[in-house]
Amino acid sequence: MRDWMWPDESAGVELLHPGQIEMGQRLAREVTRPNGSVGTEFTQVWSISVGGTYETYGGIGYSFRTSDGALHRAPSNSHMWAHPQIRPQDLPPHEGRWITNQRFGAHDHKPGVLGDRYFYERTRALDRFTAPDGRVYRLLYGQSTRQDNRLDPQGRWRSFWVYRWDHGVKWIGPSRETADLAYEQFELIRQGRAW
């Protein structure tokens, strides 16, 4: 039987409805340290989207992308532990829509899933942009042969990505099936309206 309770009152977290969570607040989760003690780990919310999902059975689904690139989903009939305070250091580091929001390699550990490196090694650069602070963006096009419902008329799989090299850390945006969608994202980045 546990002789401790989480969350600790000193952590300052509250049980919030997903609709109350804002960018810059920190989602909280219970962690057990190597010495057996229990604590709270915080991750900043940098992106929020709302829409219906199959998990919500017709209700509203909330999706929170945190600063580590992880995606946290919550239906409208749930609550999440979060710290309600918004501190300047917890806000996203750049203005605009966070497009390149997945850590490169985040999918590599999932069984049966071709990892990010598999696709990256089969891409070629279509365009490149360097932001004033040194972030480097590349619009990449990849194709290979495999059984997939996205095969082109020649029997090849193809997709487009926007990658961000951010001072030694590599991030990736969601794959796009058409060049128009990918270039639209890339143009937002060039204009300073996304990152």
Side-chain angles (χ1 to χ4, degrees):
M1 181 173 176
R2 288 166 42 148
D3 58 353
W4 36 262
M5 295 295 293
W6 186 88
D8 184 318
E9 287 182 13
S10 65
V13 299
E14 296 179 14
L15 199 55
L16 300 177
H17 182 274
Q20 295 175 287
I21 295 175
E22 300 176 37
M23 282 176 44
Q25 289 180 337
R26 292 167 286 155
L27 297 185
R29 69 181 185 98
E30 178 183 7
V31 293
T32 303
R33 300 184 181 100
N35 66 4
S37 66
V38 174
T40 304
E41 184 175 277
F42 293 102
T43 317
Q44 298 92 340
V45 174
W46 281 0
S47 179
I48 301 170
S49 59
V50 180
T53 66
Y54 69 92
E55 292 106 343
T56 61
Y57 304 104
I60 296 173
Y62 296 84
S63 294
F64 303 95
R65 185 75 70 173
T66 52
S67 59
D68 58 358
L71 184 63
H72 306 267
R73 291 189 171 102
S76 57
N77 62 352
S78 69
H79 287 78
M80 302 176 78
W81 288 105
H83 197 294
Q85 180 186 16
I86 299 174
R87 306 177 305 181
Q89 66 266 32
D90 295 326
L91 291 169
H94 307 292
E95 294 294 321
R97 189 169 151 228
W98 189 20
I99 291 173
T100 51
N101 55 22
Q102 300 174 48
R103 286 293 292 263
F104 184 82
H107 307 102
D108 293 350
H109 67 283
K110 297 179 181 177
V113 174
L114 296 172
D116 292 338
R117 183 156 305 283
Y118 172 88
F119 295 105
Y120 177 70
E121 290 172 351
R122 289 157 178 80
T123 63
R124 64 182 172 89
L126 298 177
D127 207 340
R128 176 188 163 113
F129 170 71
T130 302
D133 67 357
R135 287 171 285 141
V136 178
Y137 294 89
R138 288 188 178 98
L139 176 59
L140 302 176
Y141 167 75
Q143 67 180 33
S144 65
T145 56
R146 78 179 248 235
Q147 297 302 316
D148 194 301
N149 61 3
R150 294 177 295 171
L151 295 179
D152 68 12
Q154 290 77 37
R156 294 173 302 198
W157 163 88
R158 48 183 213 148
S159 197
F160 302 83
W161 292 271
V162 177
Y163 278 57
R164 170 170 49 104
W165 279 258
D166 199 340
H167 307 288
V169 180
K170 193 184 300 183
W171 296 79
I172 182 175
S175 66
R176 299 297 181 199
E177 294 182 25
T178 67
D180 289 347
L181 289 172
Y183 271 107
E184 181 180 306
Q185 290 185 338
F186 204 69
E187 187 56 33
L188 285 173
I189 290 169
R190 279 189 194 279
Q191 295 171 7
R193 295 168 52 202
W195 57 289

